[in-house]
Amino acid sequence: MQSNQQAFKDYLQMQKNYSLHTVKAYVKDIEEFDSFNKIHFEQDSIDIVGYPQIRSWIVSLVDSNISASSVNRKISSLKSYYKFLLRIKQIEQSPLLKHKALKTPKKIQIPFSEKEVDLVLNQIIYPDGFEGIRDKLIIDMFYTTGIRRAELINLKLSSIDLKSNTLKVIGKRNKERILPLLPIIISQIKMYIIQRNAIQDIKKTEQLFMTQKGVKLNDSLVYRLINTYFSTISEKVKKSPHILRHTFATHLLNNGADLNSVKELLGHSSLASTQVYTHSSLSELKKVYSEAHPRNQK
C-alpha cells in the first residue's frame, strides 16, 4: 500500500474512529481503483488523476452488472480519499468535485405491525432454557431500544445499569449514548443473566449475549434469529434486525414521539437520517386524519 493510502487508513481508524469492517471496505474500494488505473492507464498512483479515468472505472463497474448503489459506495470511498489528500495538502482539487451519484431506486423499508411484534413476543413458543430466554430478550431489546445489530452484539455486562434501568450503547464512531430500559426488559435481563452465568467458563468473557457454548454472537446468527422467529407470523419479504430498528422508530412516531427524541434514541447524527422512518408514521397520520376530520364525514 502506498504511503498516502496507508496514511488514509490510519486516519480512518485513529481520527474518524471507523470500525475495522468499514476501514477494510474503504481500503478495498481504493485498491480496486488503483489496480484499474494501473492496468488501463499505466499510472503508478491514483493520487493525481482526472475525472475521465474515474468515469472509465464507473463505466466498467456498471458494465459488470454491479448495482448503482454499490458503484456509489465505491465512489464515496474514493471521494473520501481525495478529501483526505486535500486535507493533507497533497492535491489542490478533488477530481470528483463535480461528480453526481448514479440514481438508485428507493428501497421501501416496511416495518412490522404492532400486532406482528406482539405475536412474536407473547404468542409463539420459545425453546426451553438458555436459548429461548436469550432469543426473546434479543428480540425485545431490538424492539424497545432500537439499537443496531453490531451494537447489540458488542454489549457487555457492564453496559447494563440495573440501578438506573439504563443501557450504555457504543454506536458508530465510538459515540456513546444512554438508553432507558423498560421494566419488562429489566425482568428479562435478570432472568437471562441467571441462565448466562450457568454456562461453563462464563467468567472468561464480559459479553452479554453469547451462544450456548459461551461464544460471542456473530452477525449472521443474529440475523437468522430474527428472520426465523418473524417468519412464523409475518409474510413480509424483509425480516431482519434493521427492520426491527425501523419498527421501533415507526411505532414511536405513530404514538406521538417527536422526531428529535427518536433521533437521540437511534443515535443518529442528523435529523435527515431519522426522517427516513417518517413515511410510515405519515401513513398512520393520514389514516387518523381521514377518519377524524369533519370534512371527510360528509
Side-chain angles (χ1 to χ4, degrees):
M1 182 179 286
Q2 298 175 23
S3 58
N4 281 339
Q5 292 182 35
Q6 180 61 53
F8 177 62
K9 180 180 178 181
D10 294 340
Y11 168 73
L12 295 179
Q13 287 178 317
M14 299 176 197
Q15 294 192 43
K16 301 295 284 184
N17 288 321
Y18 285 173
S19 68
L20 183 61
H21 175 78
T22 300
V23 173
K24 283 183 178 180
Y26 272 77
V27 170
K28 182 181 178 184
D29 293 336
I30 292 164
E31 288 178 341
E32 280 184 16
F33 177 59
D34 195 10
S35 178
F36 176 88
N37 198 49
K38 286 175 181 175
I39 294 170
H40 295 276
F41 296 98
E42 299 181 350
Q43 287 184 310
D44 292 332
S45 173
I46 62 169
D47 291 0
I48 301 177
V49 297
Y51 185 65
Q53 287 143 287
I54 297 174
R55 187 172 56 213
S56 295
W57 187 43
I58 293 172
V59 171
S60 74
L61 291 172
V62 172
D63 286 345
S64 62
N65 292 323
I66 292 177
S67 69
S69 59
S70 294
V71 173
N72 286 340
R73 182 187 56 77
K74 290 177 182 294
I75 300 305
S76 177
S77 298
L78 207 57
K79 187 178 288 187
S80 294
Y81 178 63
Y82 288 119
K83 281 184 178 179
F84 171 74
L85 294 184
L86 279 169
R87 181 188 179 96
I88 63 173
K89 301 187 186 311
Q90 292 294 303
I91 60 174
E92 294 182 357
Q93 181 174 292
S94 169
L96 284 161
L97 185 63
K98 296 183 179 180
H99 172 74
K100 292 183 179 180
L102 302 181
K103 290 184 178 180
T104 58
K106 288 186 177 180
K107 293 182 179 179
I108 299 176
Q109 301 277 7
I110 303 175
F112 298 115
S113 67
E114 291 186 29
K115 181 179 179 180
E116 286 175 322
V117 176
D118 180 67
L119 285 172
V120 167
L121 290 174
N122 300 312
Q123 300 298 321
I124 66 174
I125 299 174
Y126 288 81
D128 291 331
F130 170 79
E131 288 191 349
I133 292 172
R134 179 203 65 190
D135 293 356
K136 185 176 182 181
L137 175 58
I138 286 174
I139 293 170
D140 218 347
M141 191 167 281
F142 273 131
Y143 179 58
T144 58
T145 66
I147 60 176
R148 301 176 178 94
R149 174 168 51 178
E151 292 171 346
L152 179 132
I153 288 173
N154 290 315
L155 288 176
K156 304 288 192 295
L157 285 171
S158 57
S159 301
I160 298 168
D161 187 337
L162 294 176
K163 291 182 179 179
S164 62
N165 289 354
T166 57
L167 179 71
K168 182 171 69 175
V169 178
I170 307 300
K172 290 183 176 180
R173 305 181 191 181
N174 288 330
K175 186 178 178 181
E176 181 183 300
R177 67 187 189 279
I178 304 296
L179 301 176
L181 291 173
L182 298 175
I184 193 170
I185 298 298
I186 293 295
S187 298
Q188 289 184 66
I189 288 172
K190 290 178 178 178
M191 193 186 315
Y192 167 73
I193 288 177
I194 292 172
Q195 294 285 331
R196 176 194 178 280
N197 290 344
I199 297 176
Q200 190 176 9
D201 297 328
I202 199 64
K203 293 181 179 178
K204 291 183 179 180
T205 177
E206 271 287 305
Q207 290 298 136
L208 176 62
F209 291 115
M210 58 186 62
T211 68
Q212 184 79 54
K213 296 180 179 180
V215 178
K216 179 181 178 181
L217 302 186
N218 57 50
D219 286 351
S220 59
L221 189 153
V222 176
Y223 177 88
R224 288 198 306 273
L225 185 154
I226 301 302
N227 185 270
T228 298
Y229 284 105
F230 276 89
S231 290
T232 63
I233 57 88
S234 177
E235 295 183 356
K236 288 183 172 65
V237 174
K238 193 77 180 288
K239 296 175 279 287
S240 68
H242 183 72
I243 294 298
L244 262 179
R245 176 172 162 85
H246 182 57
T247 301
F248 162 81
T250 301
H251 290 183
L252 281 178
L253 290 166
N254 284 349
N255 286 281
D258 69 275
L259 200 59
N260 270 306
S261 297
V262 176
K263 166 185 170 292
E264 294 302 318
L265 289 168
L266 290 172
H268 285 159
S269 57
S270 70
L271 271 179
S273 299
T274 314
Q275 284 169 335
V276 301
Y277 298 105
T278 62
H279 78 274
S280 296
S281 59
L282 181 59
S283 298
E284 184 70 17
L285 190 62
K286 285 179 178 178
K287 179 183 176 183
V288 172
Y289 175 75
S290 177
E291 292 175 353
H293 200 284
R295 290 287 290 169
N296 203 42
Q297 313 306 315
K298 297 179 181 180

